[in-house]
Amino acid sequence: LAKTTQPISMDSYEGQEVNITCSHNNIATNDYITWYQQFPSQGPRFIIQGYKTKVTNEVASLFIPADRKSSTLSLPRVSLSDTAVYYCLVGDMERGGADGLTFGKGTHLIIQP
Amino acid sequence: AAGVIQSPRHLIKEKRETATLKCYPIPRHDTVYWYQQGPGQDPQFLISFYEKMQSDKGSIPDRFSAQQFSDYHSELNMSSLELGDSALYFCASSFGGSSTDTQYFGPGTRLTVL
């Protein structure tokens, strides 16, 4: 499994755009990238998933450069409620089967007024 | 929309006792996953089931067992409980049995072992 590295914590302010970068230097050809959000004492929540280039949904954007050795989760105009832990995960889409997610050390994002 | 249901939400047990956690997946979801999250830790995958068959196995202790029933709900059975088993236990469900399927997590069961 490709190991991921994220900043331990980040601070920002309401209304700002927040970019969280995840490094996955040994990502394999069949690997895809997924981001989850977790609030204290709640289950993780899917944010976005991608394989290459850019993916956008109603919540966030995911930027993946051509070499795929990193990815950046972009949260536009954050609010206090975006304070949470954000996890970057890399999974093998060719392996098949209902594989469990491997959570590494996520990024504690703190949004201030 | 219906979400994953877990019961009980809170459970207090003594050391060496047994516990059973239940998970009811989102309707029409055929895959269930179990995760353990200790205090200040990241979620750790325990085990998963697809169409009532074990699909993937993570760091589940031998003292734990799980199964998925014909109605797709799942139960995690924990025996000889230890203090270190105190954690949040999350169940997640998905549809399709593929590694790329989005997993939807439940609210968790908080187990405290005294």
Side-chain angles (χ1 to χ4, degrees):
Chain A
L1 291 174
K3 179 179 170 60
T4 60
T5 303
Q6 306 173 229
I8 294 175
S9 64
M10 292 181 66
D11 293 318
S12 189
Y13 295 90
E14 281 192 293
Q16 299 295 305
E17 177 184 80
V18 172
N19 296 308
I20 305 174
T21 297
C22 176
S23 296
H24 27 78
N25 290 318
N26 59 339
I27 191 169
T29 303
N30 297 330
D31 288 341
Y32 60 96
I33 300 148
T34 309
W35 285 79
Y36 276 79
Q37 173 194 56
Q38 186 178 28
F39 299 112
S41 297
Q42 294 187 29
R45 184 175 74 102
F46 171 86
I47 301 176
I48 198 165
Q49 183 180 94
Y51 180 79
K52 61 180 180 181
T53 63
K54 176 184 176 182
V55 179
T56 297
N57 61 24
E58 64 278 6
V59 176
S61 294
L62 178 60
F63 299 92
I64 306 169
D67 66 5
R68 304 198 327 120
K69 294 185 182 299
S70 67
S71 59
T72 299
L73 174 71
S74 181
L75 304 172
R77 296 180 298 282
V78 294
S79 63
L80 296 176
S81 62
D82 291 316
T83 294
V85 178
Y86 292 81
Y87 292 98
C88 164
L89 299 91
V90 173
D92 184 352
M93 62 183 178
E94 292 296 324
R95 182 176 168 184
D99 295 346
L101 299 173
T102 300
F103 289 86
K105 297 298 180 185
T107 298
H108 291 248
L109 175 65
I110 299 173
I111 306 300
Q112 302 181 47
Chain B
V4 175
I5 297 172
Q6 291 188 245
S7 68
R9 294 294 311 278
H10 301 271
L11 189 59
I12 299 175
K13 290 286 185 178
E14 300 274 347
K15 280 196 310 183
R16 293 181 288 278
E17 286 190 322
T18 62
T20 297
L21 309 186
K22 297 184 178 183
C23 169
Y24 298 87
I26 292 171
R28 288 183 291 282
H29 279 195
D30 50 16
T31 310
V32 168
Y33 310 77
W34 286 97
Y35 293 84
Q36 176 192 59
Q37 186 170 27
Q41 302 295 311
D42 305 300
Q44 296 294 312
F45 169 67
L46 295 178
I47 196 167
S48 64
F49 293 88
Y50 168 61
E51 283 291 345
K52 294 150 278 185
M53 299 288 288
Q54 181 179 311
S55 182
D56 191 16
K57 193 171 182 180
S59 53
I60 185 169
D62 292 340
R63 300 177 288 108
F64 295 5
S65 65
Q67 60 181 322
Q68 185 180 32
F69 295 85
S70 58
D71 63 351
Y72 295 102
H73 93 273
S74 178
E75 295 183 4
L76 178 66
N77 299 294
M78 312 160 71
S79 63
S80 302
L81 287 170
E82 303 173 356
L83 295 179
D85 296 328
S86 295
L88 263 172
Y89 290 83
F90 292 109
C91 170
S93 75
S94 69
F95 174 77
S98 169
S99 60
T100 58
D101 297 332
T102 298
Q103 295 184 27
Y104 296 87
F105 284 75
T109 293
R110 183 175 295 281
L111 172 66
T112 302
V113 181
L114 302 175

